[in-house]
Amino acid sequence: MSSRAAWVGLALLAACTADAPLSDLERGAAYVSDPAYRRAALERSLVAPDNGYSALRLERYTEASWGALPVWNPRARPVLVSDLGGPVPNPGVDWEPLDLDVPWEEAALSALGARAFSAYPAQVEPALLMALTDADAPARFGLWVDGDRVGGLVWAETPGGVQPAFSCASCHAIPRDDGPGLVLGAPNHAIDFGALLDASHSAHTSAGRWGPGRVDVTPDDVDNPTVIADLRAVRFQRDLNRAATISNDLMALTVRLETAVITNSREAVRPPRELAFALAWYLWGLGDALPALPADGAGAAVFARECGRCHLPPGLAGPPVALAAVATDPTVGESPWRGTGAYQTTSLRGVARRGRLLAGGAIDSLERLLDPDRVDGGHRYGQTLDDADRASLLAVMRDLR
Ligand code: HEC
Ligand code: HEC
């Protein structure tokens, strides 16, 4: 038995013998080792069992179907600035799968999740070659450069040869604005995946109209690009996905991540379950670093009066709101694939670092959202504030970063 299996076994043994509710890590161990436990977590999490997202999972999230897929943890290495303009590299001695053999402990699992966030080839995408043709190419498609790393991209060894892949950090990290390094989990609202797809096919398709920071994530034949999520706030969301598809908790998030890698591979592979849990556990911890709304002061008072009934403190998130009530562009929420009839009341923890707001990304700043003269875009809350109240509200919101 590998030491990893031993750790998982130990944690599960503890879970079975105690009467106390399971700890988070015991839940993670049960998810890894017990098919009935993870199936129950999936079923519990699906808000609308009849939409396409839920129906596919209810059909295939079984041991015989997706559970039997080969595990994806290929030899890989980061895409480096020195690769730009060069040939696709060959696997070398420094190419490694992620080392999953870590103790089943909080710090070790967080560290594994953090590594995986930027190093795991979450989605192989040949079109990414278009962003690697020359030194200026990454910027043309909104990919960041951090030190020698390009956009969190990874070269992965596949049965069909070496391919470029997104890591989570490609879409879910941005350069710091106060020095070198990245804000991990913050949405990359500059990345233009649709433009990459069009460039690689030398075509003008609907993807070319998504625009930066948006991806059409649903196979529903509807043109409904969705804004990239701020994962630093994921623990605070009551539901996952803008369409509020999944009732959120640590297990629901774990299963969401596992099944996303499966569907992004067109159901060819599945991620190691230890890795899915480590990623979820890592993301769960990111919320700790996000500032909260101040307890008192003028801005906090305006927030409590105008916003707090939906964006509930301390997470500044809340139950979903019917599409017609929030009145923002309903296209994302109407998806027959992910839709539930309502939008996630998105957490505002971290909101000041987001380049695009609302489910379809229609609004580009807090100032614009609260602009009294704005008539388009819905979400009409706070637009009738007087200048002083608006200024104090904006001041506290700008500190939510
Ligand atoms: C190509 C860009 C892209 C990549 C790569 C990507 N995501 Fe996302 N992610 C998105 C978009 C777009 C959404 C919004 C989907 C929605 O709301 O329905 C999203 C939403 C999410 C959500 C839901 C958050 C919420 O609050 O509702 C989670 C969790 C998430 N991503 C985790 C990850 C992880 C972990 C990885 C790496 C394994 C990853 N994503 C890779 C684009 C991406
Ligand atoms: C009736 C409930 C409700 C009230 C009241 C409300 N919001 Fe919202 N808010 C929502 C919902 C639902 C969304 C998501 C809409 C969408 O995705 O299109 C949202 C989205 C947002 C966003 C965009 C977040 C993101 O990352 O996309 C901001 C910013 C925001 N609200 C700020 C405020 C402020 C400031 C107030 C008070 C002036 C307020 N809200 C009042 C329900 C509400």
Side-chain angles (χ1 to χ4, degrees):
M1 178 143 97
S2 77
S3 78
R4 179 205 341 149
W7 279 106
V8 171
L10 261 179
L12 196 68
L13 190 69
C16 295
T17 51
D19 290 335
L22 301 193
S23 72
D24 286 342
L25 264 49
E26 287 164 352
R27 285 194 185 90
Y31 154 84
V32 169
S33 57
D34 181 354
Y37 184 86
R38 52 181 181 261
R39 172 76 192 187
L42 169 85
E43 290 180 6
R44 229 180 11 249
S45 73
L46 297 171
V47 168
D50 293 333
N51 65 22
Y53 183 95
S54 302
L56 181 70
R57 281 157 179 75
L58 289 170
E59 184 190 306
R60 313 244 166 112
Y61 194 67
T62 64
E63 290 315 284
S65 184
W66 285 353
L69 292 172
V71 173
W72 171 248
N73 185 17
R75 291 204 297 163
R77 77 142 167 91
V79 173
L80 302 175
V81 170
S82 53
D83 294 327
L84 295 172
V88 171
N90 292 313
V93 284
D94 54 335
W95 289 46
E96 299 278 0
L98 276 167
D99 179 4
L100 304 174
D101 204 2
V102 305
W104 204 256
E105 293 170 357
E106 295 192 359
L109 286 165
S110 274
L112 170 57
R115 263 199 322 280
F117 193 75
S118 310
Y120 182 66
Q123 183 177 343
V124 170
E125 181 46 73
L128 284 168
L129 291 173
M130 301 306 298
L132 305 176
T133 52
D134 59 90
D136 300 325
R140 283 202 292 277
F141 298 100
L143 291 166
W144 44 261
V145 170
D146 176 51
D148 60 357
R149 289 287 310 260
V150 179
L153 305 182
V154 179
W155 296 113
E157 186 178 31
T158 79
V162 171
Q163 303 261 25
F166 289 113
S167 72
C168 311
S170 307
C171 291
H172 295 290
I174 52 173
R176 303 198 66 90
D177 49 17
D178 57 357
L182 299 170
V183 184
L184 294 162
N188 180 0
H189 286 162
I191 195 171
D192 198 338
F193 184 21
L196 259 171
L197 291 172
D198 266 15
S200 84
H201 300 130
S202 306
H204 292 289
T205 69
S206 54
R209 294 191 300 271
W210 296 347
R214 288 175 278 219
V215 182
D216 190 342
V217 290
T218 48
D220 53 14
D221 292 325
V222 185
D223 206 5
N224 50 7
T226 309
V227 76
I228 297 172
D230 186 344
L231 299 186
R232 297 171 304 157
V234 79
R235 188 177 84 213
F236 302 119
Q237 311 292 8
R238 231 225 29 182
D239 304 273
L240 295 175
N241 300 345
R242 297 307 288 238
T245 321
I246 299 164
S247 179
N248 190 22
D249 65 29
L250 182 59
M251 284 301 102
L253 175 61
T254 304
V255 174
R256 185 211 180 277
L257 299 181
E258 181 191 4
T259 62
V261 172
I262 293 170
T263 54
N264 284 335
S265 76
R266 297 169 201 267
E267 303 178 47
V269 293
R270 68 175 177 86
R273 294 202 184 91
E274 297 86 341
L275 186 137
F277 178 71
L279 264 174
W281 176 247
Y282 162 70
L283 295 180
W284 215 244
L286 286 180
D288 294 342
L290 287 177
L293 205 67
D296 43 34
V302 177
F303 189 91
R305 196 178 74 226
E306 305 283 337
C307 323
R309 71 188 158 98
C310 294
H311 299 278
L312 305 166
L316 311 184
V321 177
L323 300 177
V326 65
T328 53
D329 180 345
T331 320
V332 167
E334 284 169 348
S335 163
W337 194 258
R338 289 197 173 184
T340 60
Y343 274 138
Q344 170 201 66
T345 299
T346 308
S347 171
L348 303 181
R349 301 280 293 266
V351 70
R353 281 199 206 263
R354 300 176 198 159
R356 294 189 172 274
L357 303 173
L358 306 181
I363 302 277
D364 64 1
S365 70
L366 294 167
E367 291 75 10
R368 176 97 185 106
L369 188 72
L370 295 176
D371 182 346
D373 297 329
R374 178 176 64 86
V375 289
D376 59 314
H379 193 284
R380 308 301 298 262
Y381 319 108
Q383 283 190 279
T384 55
L385 294 172
D386 64 32
D387 289 353
D389 277 356
R390 186 176 332 103
S392 30
L393 178 60
L394 279 170
V396 287
M397 302 221 23
R398 286 189 195 110
D399 287 339
L400 296 174
R401 55 200 319 277

